[in-house]
Amino acid sequence: MTNQEIILKAVNYIEGNLGEEIDGLRVSQHVCYSLYHFIRLFQSVTGFSPKSYIQQRRLSEAVYQLRNTSRKIAEIAYDYQFGSPEVFTRAFRKQFSISPSEIRSGCPLSSLNLVTRLTKESIFRSNKVKDLPPELVELDERILVGLSFFLSDQTKIDNLSTEWSRLMREVDTIEERVQPERYYQLQYWSDKQELGGLYFFTGVEVKRVVNLNPLFVVKTIPAGKYLRFIHHGVSNKVGYTYQYIYTRFLPETDFRLSQPFNFEYYGERYLGPGNEDSESEIYIPIG
């Protein structure tokens, strides 16, 4: 079963149980995936987290119930697993900027951000890739020293120049650096969906950790199998390469993510963040 087929199976399960007590964990168990891998895969293919998709679909179906039936708001709220009419109304207003009662006053549905059921066509929408396929590689363990931080603002993720500048100002104080110096950027995520962002790390590879400055933290890239992709061009466009990896390549394969992180390596072909001829390597851990 491909990753796209897994997501289709998950969507069918969600849609058949919108009125039941389901969450991301239960759906991940249904498709035999670990929670954090399932969340990442589901979001990369659909654009929604499982939690967000479930809630937005429930609220969207509630809109049709409100418009087309005379059932009480409280009944509809409980049918879609909201703990009380008050909780339902708060969630409803957050998504649609109006209250449930206003739906019955004739508000045009075209003005609402309704989320319709994901279709097989939308899940399998990936185009065939023209680029060379990634290389499957075996890596030894690598020890990195650098700076760790969390970003919840998606608009800042494409430009980490400030964070890299902080590292470069202090990198000379890191002892036992591998020569020539090898720089890395890690992205890693939590299975706590409410965090809504990503953890990042910028660092340099070391032979061993010696006299660590309290400013820095240590990260270990575990030995194992990785898919190596090449990003061509300026650094702040790397998001397009990740989009290709997670929405085109991986969904059409049987590869499974084995760790809740990925990382970028800047080797001798990396010519700087603004150079169109620059190349960086992206590594995706797989089982």
Side-chain angles (χ1 to χ4, degrees):
M1 182 178 291
T2 67
N3 288 332
Q4 286 175 317
E5 290 169 334
I6 288 170
I7 296 306
L8 180 60
K9 182 178 179 181
V11 167
N12 288 339
Y13 179 73
I14 290 170
E15 294 294 335
N17 292 277
L18 286 175
E20 306 299 326
E21 292 186 10
I22 58 170
D23 55 18
L25 177 60
R26 186 166 296 186
V27 180
S28 69
Q29 291 171 339
H30 178 73
V31 297
C32 301
Y33 245 68
S34 67
L35 177 60
Y36 61 74
H37 290 160
F38 172 70
I39 289 172
R40 182 67 170 173
L41 180 63
F42 191 93
Q43 187 156 7
S44 70
V45 173
T46 69
F48 297 93
S49 69
K51 179 181 179 180
S52 176
Y53 180 73
I54 291 169
Q55 174 149 308
Q56 292 191 54
R57 283 291 297 127
R58 283 171 168 166
L59 291 169
S60 297
E61 289 300 307
V63 167
Y64 296 116
Q65 291 281 321
L66 290 164
R67 176 55 60 86
N68 300 318
T69 74
S70 59
R71 301 179 66 220
K72 294 180 179 179
I73 291 176
E75 292 178 351
I76 296 172
Y78 290 127
D79 278 353
Y80 287 108
Q81 297 298 314
F82 290 92
S84 69
E86 292 75 23
V87 171
F88 173 67
T89 298
R90 285 198 299 271
F92 197 96
R93 188 180 290 278
K94 182 177 181 181
Q95 180 164 333
F96 301 122
S97 299
I98 61 173
S99 68
S101 60
E102 289 179 88
I103 295 294
R104 287 184 163 158
S105 67
C107 171
L109 300 189
S110 60
S111 66
L112 303 181
N113 183 28
L114 295 172
V115 174
T116 58
R117 175 177 180 153
L118 288 169
T119 64
K120 180 178 180 179
E121 289 71 25
S122 66
I123 294 170
F124 283 77
R125 69 188 182 278
S126 300
N127 296 325
K128 297 299 181 183
V129 295
K130 297 179 181 179
D131 296 334
L132 292 174
E135 182 181 2
L136 180 60
V137 297
E138 288 266 4
L139 297 184
D140 295 328
E141 180 182 271
R142 302 182 184 188
I143 302 172
L144 312 180
V145 171
L147 302 173
S148 185
F149 51 95
F150 177 80
L151 286 181
S152 59
D153 187 346
Q154 294 290 322
T155 63
K156 295 181 179 179
I157 289 176
D158 289 335
N159 186 357
L160 301 181
S161 57
T162 299
E163 288 73 18
W164 272 103
S165 294
R166 289 172 184 161
L167 173 68
M168 299 310 293
R169 285 197 297 268
E170 302 286 346
V171 71
D172 288 343
T173 67
I174 300 175
E175 299 184 25
E176 294 294 318
R177 300 190 304 280
V178 171
Q179 298 296 327
E181 292 177 346
R182 301 177 182 176
Y183 289 94
Y184 297 79
Q185 178 176 298
L186 279 68
Q187 293 81 234
Y188 45 105
W189 51 92
S190 169
D191 59 5
K192 294 181 179 179
Q193 299 179 53
E194 63 271 15
L195 291 177
L198 283 175
Y199 291 94
F200 286 85
F201 169 88
T202 56
V204 64
E205 186 174 354
V206 298
K207 301 173 185 175
R208 58 195 179 100
V209 178
V210 178
N211 300 324
L212 187 65
N213 186 321
L215 173 70
F216 297 116
V217 298
V218 178
K219 296 290 182 183
T220 300
I221 296 176
K225 293 181 180 179
Y226 293 81
L227 289 173
R228 178 169 59 196
F229 295 83
I230 303 298
H231 169 68
H232 303 270
V234 297
S235 295
N236 65 4
K237 299 299 183 183
V238 72
Y240 292 109
T241 303
Y242 279 111
Q243 185 178 32
Y244 155 67
I245 293 170
Y246 285 110
T247 68
R248 294 187 183 183
F249 180 82
L250 285 177
E252 294 183 345
T253 71
D254 295 323
F255 289 117
R256 293 203 174 200
L257 305 177
S258 62
Q259 302 284 346
F261 74 90
N262 52 53
F263 71 89
E264 297 166 35
Y265 167 64
Y266 307 98
E268 61 182 22
R269 292 182 176 272
Y270 184 71
L271 306 177
N275 194 313
E276 291 285 355
D277 296 323
S278 187
E279 292 184 4
S280 55
E281 301 174 13
I282 297 175
Y283 289 82
I284 310 295
I286 58 168

